[in-house]
Amino acid sequence: MSGCGKVKAWQVPLRLVTGAFILHSGMEKWDGPDEQAQGVHGMARQTFPFLESIDAPRFLKLLAAGEIALGAALLTPMVPTRLAGAALTGFAGSLMAVYAQTPGLRKEGSVWPTPDGIGVSKDSWLLAIGLALTLSPHQKHHKHLKHLKGHGGRHQHHCHHEQGGRPGRHGHLQQAKQVAQEAKEARRLAKRVKGLSQDGHSHQHSHRHGPGHTRKGCPAHD
């Protein structure tokens, strides 16, 4: 299972055991006798009244088909774990609803089972496994976090600008403003240098040709 990249190592035993158990249960129900069909249908219709319109043998066949499909999905590596877990959660949740609504399976005023309800109460484990598979981290999300962890320095540089409840892009705006201010100061300094250069040249020209001499018409500048 782990070779396909969809199932993690810790998920393998959960999917393998529950999938095999449910698949076997469905195969046994497929050709179940009428007594089994009547018993299973009688418990189910107390919790789900709409099932009264379905006869017992047909209901048992539908239940068997559903269990076979669910068991096969859990055992198939190509089926995403979260999808298989969601299906298992729904199936186990319906079983726990039957456990809660069927008289004689629970002690009066308690969630704990009677001797007759122990078998059904153990389906709570299926519910817990289904929730664990459904709530497992998404594979792409896990890879993304691993990628960010491997580039911690650059990630911190780009994303650690969030201060005082402001969004992360606030830091980038501040940097842009600072760059613009520095460019403005550079232009201002360039103008000052250019002005000083022109003043120095005029002073040198007057020193060479006399204070009343102008650059216009001077052969030295033609």
Side-chain angles (χ1 to χ4, degrees):
M1 281 188 177
S2 58
C4 67
K6 292 182 179 294
V7 183
K8 299 178 183 179
W10 68 268
Q11 298 168 347
V12 172
L14 301 182
R15 293 187 61 165
L16 183 62
V17 173
T18 55
F21 178 83
I22 295 173
L23 177 62
H24 178 264
S25 176
M27 294 176 65
E28 284 195 333
K29 288 185 178 70
W30 185 259
D31 293 321
D34 290 340
E35 293 79 6
Q36 183 183 14
Q38 294 294 336
V40 173
H41 184 254
M43 292 177 61
R45 69 185 181 184
Q46 293 185 32
T47 305
F48 307 104
F50 66 90
L51 295 176
E52 293 182 1
S53 60
I54 304 176
D55 59 86
R58 183 166 179 264
F59 171 76
L60 185 64
K61 191 74 76 173
L62 292 174
L63 178 60
E67 289 184 349
I68 291 173
L70 176 58
L74 288 165
L75 293 173
T76 303
M78 284 73 71
V79 177
T81 294
R82 299 179 74 179
L83 178 61
L88 177 59
T89 300
F91 174 72
S94 64
L95 294 179
M96 294 309 299
V98 172
Y99 169 74
Q101 297 294 329
T102 302
L105 297 183
R106 294 183 299 112
K107 296 178 180 178
E108 187 175 355
S110 174
V111 298
W112 301 111
T114 62
D116 293 335
I118 291 178
V120 182
S121 67
K122 290 181 179 179
D123 293 329
S124 59
W125 302 346
L126 295 179
L127 179 61
I129 293 173
L131 290 172
L133 295 176
T134 304
L135 299 176
S136 60
H138 197 276
Q139 189 74 8
K140 292 183 179 180
H141 178 67
H142 177 73
K143 290 182 179 179
H144 179 66
L145 291 179
K146 186 176 180 180
H147 174 75
L148 293 180
K149 184 178 180 180
H151 299 77
R154 283 179 288 178
H155 177 67
Q156 183 178 5
H157 172 73
H158 290 291
C159 299
H160 193 58
H161 297 293
E162 187 171 348
Q163 295 178 356
R166 296 181 178 180
R169 60 183 179 181
H170 175 72
H172 297 287
L173 294 176
Q174 291 291 353
Q175 290 181 356
K177 291 180 179 180
Q178 183 177 358
V179 171
Q181 184 67 24
E182 291 177 355
K184 184 177 181 181
E185 292 294 334
R187 290 194 299 268
R188 185 181 303 173
L189 180 61
K191 289 181 179 180
R192 292 183 60 185
V193 172
K194 184 177 180 181
L196 290 175
S197 177
Q198 292 177 350
D199 292 343
H201 186 75
S202 299
H203 175 74
Q204 183 180 7
H205 184 273
S206 299
H207 178 74
R208 291 176 58 186
H209 299 282
H213 183 76
T214 61
R215 296 181 62 183
K216 184 175 181 181
C218 179
H221 297 279
D222 291 341

